[in-house]
Amino acid sequence: PRHSVSEIVLSATQGLFHLQQYALDSCAGALVLTSSVSIHGRVETSLVDENTPIIEPDVYGASKLLVECGFAATADRLPVIALRLPSVLCRLETGSWVPSLMRKLLANDEVTVFNPEAAFNNAIDVGELSRFVVSSIAKPFRGFQAFPIASSGSMTVMEVVKLLQSSVESKSVISVNKTSRRSFAVSSEYATRF
């Protein structure tokens, strides 16, 4: 279910306040924060990286920006890494493209593909993410750093669809919509250097 604007903003501001206060009061050495590539809003490039501009984010993306700004303001006392995540793949994830695609494939529903030849790596496995967080927090760092992280390899959108279709032996019909929709891949270069 979708959340209302007030629920999103309230959750972000209360979460920021409580987490920040607890971390500062307990003299935490550093914090790894999960943010979202949604912070960038309308992406006008083919690759999202740490320098991608923020253009008209939706309420969810703006709420993540608010949280990042709040932690950046106290980064002199509490160093923070903000990981701008794409979809996190785990059993409970339901709202992003891959889980939606899987639901359609499992139901043998028609699947419409946009930008079939576009690179896709806009997901990260929860295990891979956990390992990155553990290794990051063990390293000394200062200030506030925000950057995206995603799967290390990429496939085309159509390759993802065909792979998942084959893995669940779906009989779904795959159609391509010629409408041009902007798509992008996510760079993990900064995360790799970190």
Side-chain angles (χ1 to χ4, degrees):
R2 294 282 177 203
H3 298 284
S4 70
V5 171
S6 59
E7 288 172 323
I8 292 170
V9 173
L10 185 62
S11 174
T13 54
Q14 285 181 334
L16 164 64
F17 175 77
H18 292 297
L19 181 58
Q20 190 174 51
Q21 277 309 127
Y22 181 78
L24 290 169
D25 291 348
S26 63
C27 299
L31 181 75
V32 176
L33 175 72
T34 56
S35 188
S36 172
V37 293
S38 296
I39 202 169
H40 295 289
R42 191 178 73 245
V43 176
E44 297 184 342
T45 61
S46 61
L47 187 67
V48 170
D49 65 15
E50 67 280 4
N51 298 311
T52 299
I54 296 169
I55 304 171
E56 301 174 357
D58 62 11
V59 173
Y60 177 74
S63 74
K64 293 295 188 179
L65 178 59
L66 173 69
V67 171
E68 284 192 17
C69 290
F71 278 106
T74 58
D76 58 329
R77 295 176 285 151
L78 176 66
V80 173
I81 298 171
L83 301 177
R84 293 181 175 166
L85 303 176
S87 178
V88 177
L89 298 181
C90 65
R91 282 188 15 215
L92 302 176
E93 217 304 333
T94 59
S96 61
W97 180 66
V98 172
S100 299
L101 172 61
M102 284 301 292
R103 278 192 303 279
K104 287 183 178 181
L105 291 171
L106 289 168
N108 293 313
D109 291 343
E110 182 178 357
V111 172
T112 303
V113 177
F114 297 87
N115 299 325
E117 298 308 313
F120 179 84
N121 74 333
N122 306 13
I124 188 166
D125 174 71
V126 71
E128 189 180 340
L129 175 60
S130 299
R131 286 185 291 282
F132 181 82
V133 169
V134 169
S135 70
S136 296
I137 205 70
K139 298 175 186 175
F141 61 91
R142 295 180 180 270
F144 178 83
Q145 299 176 57
F147 51 88
I149 183 170
S151 296
S152 52
S154 70
M155 301 172 73
T156 67
V157 168
M158 187 58 86
E159 286 172 335
V160 172
V161 172
K162 293 289 190 180
L163 176 68
L164 295 176
Q165 182 184 36
S166 172
S167 72
V168 297
E169 300 176 356
S170 174
K171 307 242 186 297
S172 293
V173 173
I174 311 297
S175 63
V176 175
N177 186 317
K178 301 279 188 209
T179 305
S180 64
R181 279 190 179 176
R182 195 174 282 278
S183 62
F184 59 86
V186 179
S187 171
S188 290
E189 242 181 82
Y190 191 100
T192 302
R193 291 191 314 263
F194 189 82

